[in-house]
Amino acid sequence: MLILLINRRIRYKKHILIMKYICFFMLCGILSVSAESYAQKTKLSLDVQNGTLYEVVSEIEKQTGFMFFYKSGDIDGNLKVSVHAQDKTVTDILNEVTRNTDLIYVVDNKHILIAKKNNPAFQQITVTGTVTENEMPMPGVNVVVKGTTTGVITDLNGKYKIEVSDPAVVLVFSFVGYIT
């Protein structure tokens, strides 16, 4: 009789744990769908005819809270661009401006870095691992690059895979009920 009660109690605890995971994943899904970056929300109108990329960047900075960073040697000062944008997002405008160039951009909050495609700053490093407690995998753990919003969540086996641009970055692991 005692064994039967223990088995029921263990099954009950497993069901509660599974329900917690389901609620957690549903919440994460809702938050990730509703989370939208500032660059994807901010709309502006821009009209530059036969101007330089510097003029486009300057105009975007004037109309928004973005700050651009670039190495002047990476951007051809003679490159002429024309942009006619009416209520377009910053990312749409930058996609249009950099389309036929060897330039790429990265948006991080209100900072935009523009560089050549072969720039070592854009070399991505893949970091993988497994989060466990007492040798048991922990699904649903948040793995975030410290000081950024870049992150992933561990899968059902506690595994994660995240792309970083610097081997010296610090990863922060957090889970409800645990110390970060």
Side-chain angles (χ1 to χ4, degrees):
M1 184 73 164
L2 181 62
I3 294 174
L4 184 61
L5 287 174
I6 292 173
N7 280 342
R8 284 186 181 167
R9 182 174 239 174
I10 290 172
R11 273 192 246 139
Y12 177 73
K13 285 184 178 182
K14 284 183 181 178
H15 288 291
I16 289 176
L17 184 63
I18 291 170
M19 289 303 293
K20 285 181 181 179
Y21 284 138
I22 290 171
C23 290
F24 178 76
F25 284 119
M26 287 175 56
L27 179 64
C28 287
I30 291 168
L31 292 176
S32 66
V33 169
S34 66
E36 203 176 11
S37 80
Y38 183 71
Q40 294 168 329
K41 291 191 297 189
T42 305
K43 298 201 182 235
L44 65 143
S45 297
L46 189 65
D47 192 21
V48 176
Q49 298 302 321
N50 254 353
T52 64
L53 185 57
Y54 298 115
E55 292 174 31
V56 173
V57 165
S58 176
E59 192 59 36
I60 292 173
E61 284 181 330
K62 284 180 192 173
Q63 291 187 33
T64 66
F66 284 103
M67 289 177 49
F68 282 82
F69 299 92
Y70 51 84
K71 184 177 170 186
S72 58
D74 283 353
I75 298 175
D76 181 6
N78 298 321
L79 176 68
K80 298 295 180 188
V81 294
S82 295
V83 178
H84 178 72
Q86 198 68 20
D87 288 330
K88 284 195 174 180
T89 64
V90 173
T91 54
D92 288 340
I93 293 170
L94 290 174
N95 286 338
E96 185 179 327
V97 169
T98 60
R99 182 174 298 127
N100 295 320
T101 67
D102 64 340
L103 299 174
I104 57 174
Y105 67 93
V106 175
V107 179
D108 183 25
N109 292 327
K110 292 187 178 183
H111 301 102
I112 300 175
L113 173 67
I114 299 176
K116 289 192 175 207
K117 288 180 182 173
N118 60 359
N119 189 320
F122 291 105
Q123 301 290 328
Q124 293 291 306
I125 301 164
T126 303
V127 178
T128 60
T130 305
V131 179
T132 61
E133 179 187 22
N134 297 328
E135 298 182 17
M136 295 295 295
M138 291 185 64
V141 175
N142 289 310
V143 182
V144 179
V145 176
K146 186 175 184 177
T148 71
T149 56
T150 303
V152 295
I153 298 175
T154 59
D155 66 12
L156 291 174
N157 298 315
K159 296 186 182 298
Y160 67 91
K161 178 179 177 181
I162 188 168
E163 302 285 328
V164 298
S165 58
D166 182 4
V169 299
V170 174
L171 296 179
V172 178
F173 297 82
S174 61
F175 190 71
V176 176
Y178 287 77
I179 297 172
T180 300

